[in-house]
Amino acid sequence: MSPNEFQADAELTHLLVVRDLAAARDFYRDVVGAEVTREYAGTSAVLRLFGTWLLLVTGGGPTPDKPTVVFAPPDDVDRVSHEMTFRVRDCEAAYTELRRRGAVFLTPPVTSGAEIRCFFRDPDGHLLELSQVR
């Protein structure tokens, strides 16, 4: 299979493990602006966000197809293994709007080299970034 064949009709879904599905769903819908497309039995929700899919799931143990894997939300919000970056046209305006909607930022936007950026967390502590190219 060539890379082009692999990519044909493929889409990317980003999965986040959350403690409280309703709180996470509401945050991504009401604060970040995602569209909730479906939910499954109180254990997962599928959202559309900035042209990609976001799957929120509650934690769980191993399954036959991943026999050693446990899904768990972050246990230390200051130790990050991944983040999502939202590239925006106007970081200051996005910061102001998301704060109005309830996002709590680590700091106001900071200029760092060729970008302006600031960070906030979802209810489970997943790190999110607003970034503007200067």
Side-chain angles (χ1 to χ4, degrees):
M1 174 183 285
S2 73
N4 289 340
E5 289 172 318
F6 169 72
Q7 294 173 0
D9 299 320
E11 294 183 297
L12 177 67
T13 297
H14 190 85
L15 182 144
L16 294 177
V17 181
V18 301
R19 286 176 189 79
D20 181 333
L21 183 64
R25 179 207 56 222
D26 293 352
F27 174 84
Y28 282 98
R29 182 192 61 211
D30 301 340
V31 176
V32 181
E35 172 193 0
V36 178
T37 63
R38 56 191 171 271
E39 296 184 50
Y40 299 101
T43 62
S44 63
V46 180
L47 298 87
R48 276 303 269 176
L49 179 63
F50 303 119
T52 191
W53 295 102
L54 177 61
L55 176 60
L56 304 174
V57 300
T58 54
T63 59
D65 55 340
K66 48 182 181 31
T68 63
V69 177
V70 174
F71 278 26
D75 59 358
D76 181 347
V77 299
D78 290 325
R79 293 180 54 96
V80 176
S81 62
H82 80 284
E83 74 165 35
M84 289 191 293
T85 300
F86 305 114
R87 184 73 71 182
V88 296
R89 289 183 203 191
D90 184 337
C91 190
E92 191 69 47
Y95 165 80
T96 299
E97 177 60 19
L98 291 181
R99 282 188 65 206
R100 185 187 69 73
R101 295 180 189 177
V104 177
F105 284 81
L106 280 62
T107 68
V110 172
T111 299
S112 179
E115 71 177 332
I116 301 170
R117 64 187 188 193
C118 54
F119 296 86
F120 61 112
R121 292 189 175 106
D122 75 4
D124 288 284
H126 296 107
L127 192 64
L128 308 171
E129 174 184 1
L130 295 179
S131 173
Q132 172 191 340
V133 176
R134 296 187 326 135

